[in-house]
Structure formats: C-alpha cells, structure tokens
Amino acid sequence: MTKIGSENRVSKASLVLEYMIAVSFVMNFFANMISFYLTGNKIELVRKVISQGIIFAITLSLVIYVVHSWFVSDLMTRKKILFSLFPLGLSGLMLFTGLLKASDKSSLFKIFLSWASYCVALTCGAIYIMKEDKLGCIIAKIKYVAVVMIPFWCMAIWYLGHLSLQDDFTKGFGGLTHLSIGYAAVFIYSFLICDLAAIFKSMVNRLSCFLIIIEMIICSLIAVISGGRGAFFAWCVVSVLAGIALLIKKEKGAILGILLGTITILGVCVVAPSDNASINRQFYFIAELKNGDTKRSFVSEESQSLITQIYNKAGESQGIAEVVDSIGKAKHGETADKDFEEVLYSVTNGSMARFYLWQLAIKEMRQRPLLGMGPAGFQIKYKTYPHNILFECLSDFGLIIGTIFTVVCIALGALVIKYSISSRKYFDLIIIMIGQVVYAMLSGTLYSCEALFFAFAVIIWQLTDQPIRKQGNSEKKESDT
C-alpha cells in the first residue's frame, strides 16, 4: 500500500513538472496572462509581482528536478546532464563576467535575469524530456495550456479587431505587447500540429481532436491580428513546412487544422475593416517593397547617413530611439527632405527597422572584428538588440566566434533533420522549432533565446548518448575483470 501511494505521489509530481515544462515554452506570456486574470490589470505593480513569482516558481522547480536527477542518477546520466548544460552555463558565465566589468550594470543585469528566468527553465525542461523520453507527453499537454489562454485570446481578438489607425498601437493589451501574443500563438500552434498528427494516427479521442482544431484556428487568427509581421511570417513558415513534412510522412489528417487556420486568416483579411490597424500593419511591408523602401534602407545616401549618425551618437546616455528622436527634432523646421523623412520613419516604425539594426551590428563588428563589443555590448550601447541572434553574436563577439556560432547553429539544424528520419520525437521537434528559428532570426535576442539553449541541450544529449554509453560499458567490463 505504501509502495502504491509512493508511486502515485511520483506520478502526480511528474504531471505537475510536465505542465510546467509545457508552460515554459510560452512562460513570459502565460505568467503575464495569469496575473492579468488575477488582478484585472488594475494594479500594474501587483500584476508584475505575480507574473515574476510564477516564472520564478516554475524555473526553480525545474532546476530542483535537474539537480536531484544529477545526484541520484548513474555516472553516464550525470555526464550527459553536465554536457547538455554546458552552452547554458557558458552563456551565463559570459553574462556574469560582463556584468562585473560593465559600466551600465542595470541593463546587463536585466539581460542576466531574462537568461536566468527563461533559458534556464527551458533547458532544464529539455533534460527532463530527453532523460524521461517525455516529449510526446509535453506535446499532449499544450492543448490544455492553450485552453487557459482562450478567454484572454478572445478578449484580445475583440480588442485588436476594433483597433483603428488612429489608436496607439504600441500600448498593448492587458499589460502585454501585441507581438508577444502573436509569437506565443505560433509556438502553441506548432505543438498543436504535432498533437493532432498523433491523435489522427491513433484514431482515438475525437473530443481532443475537435479542441485542437478550434485552438489552431484561434492561434492562426491571433498570428495575423496581433499585427506582428514576424509572428505572421513565422506562422506561414510553420504551416507550409509542417504541411510538407506531414505529407511526406503520409499524415494527411493533421493538415486539416492547417487548412482551416489558413481559411480563417483569409476570411479575416477579406471582411476586416479597411482602417483596422492590426490587419493593415501586415500589408505595410508589401507597400514598402513596392515604393522602394527596401532598397533605400540598404543603399541610399540617406540611410547610410542616418546609420552613421546613430552609430556616432549612441552611447551610455542615449540609445537608438533617443538618437533618432533628436535627429528628427533637429530636422524639424528645416526644408523638408522627403527621402530622409521616409528613411527616418522607416527606422522607427516601418518594416525596414530591422535592416538598420542589422547594418549597425555589422558596422560594429567591422570596427572590432576580433573580439567584438563584449557581452551584450550592442544592447548596452543602443538600448535595444539587433533582432537577430547571428548578427548579435557577430557584433558582440567578433567575426571568428560569430562565424563558428553560425556554423554550429546550421549543424544543429542538420542533426535534428537527420535524427527525424528514424525518430518520431525529432520529427515533432522540427515542426516545433521552425517557428522558434524564425523568431530567433527576426525578433530574438542571443542571451534570452531559450529555444536555442533548448535545442543545444537536446542535440548534445543525443550526441553524447552512444560515446558515454560505450565508455560506461568498457568501465564495467574492466571492473568485472
């Protein structure tokens, strides 16, 4: 009887831990949303305390699991845990060293906290998934995490559906930015595709199948109506590549959810009012392509002049936003230069803003090609990040380390594809990580890109499995002899 009770307690503890890992993929959004439910968003300070408390509790619980596992596991598993944690530990060490040396300690401390809150949690989750072989269980639980989000999403859809071009689009909803809502929806959407494929394959639980399809439609709607062009692009990439992969695997049933989500988005675009800010923002990029903003962002004299001014003026006292604002005020009252005004608008509000950030990152790398600006150097100087983890690595650590990091990331993706041929687990990981890759390239920051460290932990665990096992077997033979 005692044994059965002990097993039940272990099972319940594992269940809670698995839900925490499921939440950790969208933890920032989820924690903020729960605090919104609890406070009604009336007291911002209380809402933030609750949100950070939830994040801290989840992160601490997952860390305790990994530490406990290390102590009670055999030598082979201990080595695999340590190796899988190495990229995370190296990143944390660099941030901590930079924190000790940096003159702007407050900015770097915030980055360090983001790393400790999000990257640590998801990396520990990766170790649980690999050690216990529980990716399928985590995928199955995401639909219930999404259930908790549905009321909030419905409120957001209603709010964003009534947002006109005259409204302040940057204000956010419920203490959250629109962009975080969009990306969170895309990440959950990718999990739901995998779950739907598994349910169709087993041909059981029609109620769960219906729930997943409804959630996929809502996620698709959020992806476009959030106004985040990166989130919408991520949704498109996930849908197309997942659809191709599922066709190759002959799992046509899961494509139903993708098709219904696509039809929903097309319907929204058709019936949405012409002055809706969220929908219109998605079409600004096409307009910018047509009127030449893309080319002007790269090669025009105005854009290069603006980049040089930002590079020279940005520093500890002001970031890129303050520099651009001061340049705009200096131009006010002078004879209007239409080309320069368009470039100035593009770098602050247009789709081309990322192109300017990428060029600034390359410019910084050229100034310090060997060592770069140092940990979080770009963020400290410009008070923002390049919105691309590869460019951020180049600017902060120089050409050599930046190139090595790029090659490692490409190799990591190739390994996931290789393992997916023989393992369902890695096939699902490809679908899940596609949206994360787009996020890392368009909106992610190197130091709190939790999906990056999650992927590192998963691949390192797989790579170290056979060598460590062989070493353990040889050691056992020697001891027997």
Side-chain angles (χ1 to χ4, degrees), residues 451-463:
L452 178 69
F453 295 103
F454 173 85
F456 270 127
V458 167
I459 292 299
I460 290 173
W461 188 282
Q462 176 67 27
L463 288 174

Side-chain angles (χ1 to χ4, degrees), residues 93-345:
L93 180 62
M94 287 190 297
L95 281 176
F96 184 73
T97 304
L99 181 63
L100 296 177
K101 296 180 179 180
S103 54
D104 184 5
K105 294 186 184 298
S106 61
S107 296
L108 204 55
F109 183 68
K110 291 178 182 177
I111 298 170
F112 184 79
L113 282 180
S114 294
W115 169 87
S117 299
Y118 309 125
C119 299
V120 170
L122 205 53
T123 304
C124 292
I127 291 173
Y128 175 86
I129 287 170
M130 297 305 293
K131 181 177 179 294
E132 309 293 342
D133 196 20
K134 287 293 187 77
L135 181 61
C137 295
I138 306 300
I139 289 173
K141 288 175 174 58
I142 284 287
K143 59 178 170 286
Y144 302 114
V145 174
V147 165
V148 179
M149 295 181 174
I150 285 177
F152 182 90
W153 271 339
C154 290
M155 289 188 289
I157 290 170
W158 182 89
Y159 171 79
L160 294 169
H162 291 79
L163 196 66
S164 69
L165 296 173
Q166 291 73 37
D167 294 323
D168 183 5
F169 191 85
T170 61
K171 188 177 180 181
F173 172 72
L176 299 170
T177 64
H178 305 152
L179 301 184
S180 68
I181 295 175
Y183 276 116
V186 173
F187 296 158
I188 289 178
Y189 174 78
S190 62
F191 275 89
L192 294 174
I193 291 174
C194 299
D195 196 10
L196 190 61
I199 290 176
F200 267 112
K201 195 172 183 179
S202 61
M203 298 298 293
V204 297
N205 205 335
R206 292 182 180 181
L207 185 60
S208 290
C209 179
F210 178 74
L211 174 64
I212 292 170
I213 290 176
I214 293 298
E215 289 177 341
M216 287 179 70
I217 292 172
I218 292 174
C219 287
S220 300
L221 188 56
I222 286 287
V224 64
I225 206 170
S226 68
R229 285 159 292 205
F232 181 52
F233 181 65
W235 179 89
C236 292
V237 172
V238 170
S239 298
V240 171
L241 294 185
I244 294 172
L246 289 167
L247 279 175
I248 293 172
K249 288 282 187 177
K250 297 181 180 180
E251 297 181 12
K252 300 177 183 178
I255 299 175
L256 174 64
I258 298 175
L259 291 176
L260 290 175
T262 304
I263 292 170
T264 300
I265 283 184
L266 293 175
V268 168
C269 291
V270 170
V271 303
S274 59
D275 65 341
N276 180 266
S278 297
I279 302 298
N280 272 277
R281 199 167 186 266
Q282 302 291 1
F283 298 103
Y284 285 164
F285 179 66
I286 299 173
E288 287 168 336
L289 287 174
K290 288 181 178 179
N291 65 27
D293 274 359
T294 308
K295 182 178 179 181
R296 185 157 50 245
S297 297
F298 279 108
V299 301
S300 71
E301 293 182 6
E302 293 80 15
S303 67
Q304 297 308 308
S305 172
L306 181 59
I307 287 172
T308 301
Q309 290 186 59
I310 293 171
Y311 172 80
N312 291 331
K313 293 182 178 181
E316 292 185 6
S317 59
Q318 54 182 354
I320 186 172
E322 291 80 9
V323 171
V324 171
D325 186 55
S326 65
I327 293 171
K329 289 179 180 178
K331 286 286 181 181
H332 186 70
E334 297 180 8
T335 304
D337 184 334
K338 184 180 178 182
D339 288 339
F340 191 86
E341 289 296 328
E342 288 180 355
V343 168
L344 195 65
Y345 172 81

Side-chain angles (χ1 to χ4, degrees), residues 63-75:
V63 168
I64 290 172
Y65 164 78
V66 170
V67 172
H68 177 263
S69 295
W70 191 88
F71 278 109
V72 301
S73 298
D74 55 68
L75 182 61

Side-chain angles (χ1 to χ4, degrees), residues 32 35 39-51 175:
N32 276 279
S35 64
T39 65
N41 203 40
K42 294 178 181 178
I43 308 173
E44 185 177 0
L45 180 60
V46 175
R47 182 177 59 76
K48 287 182 177 180
V49 168
I50 293 173
S51 174

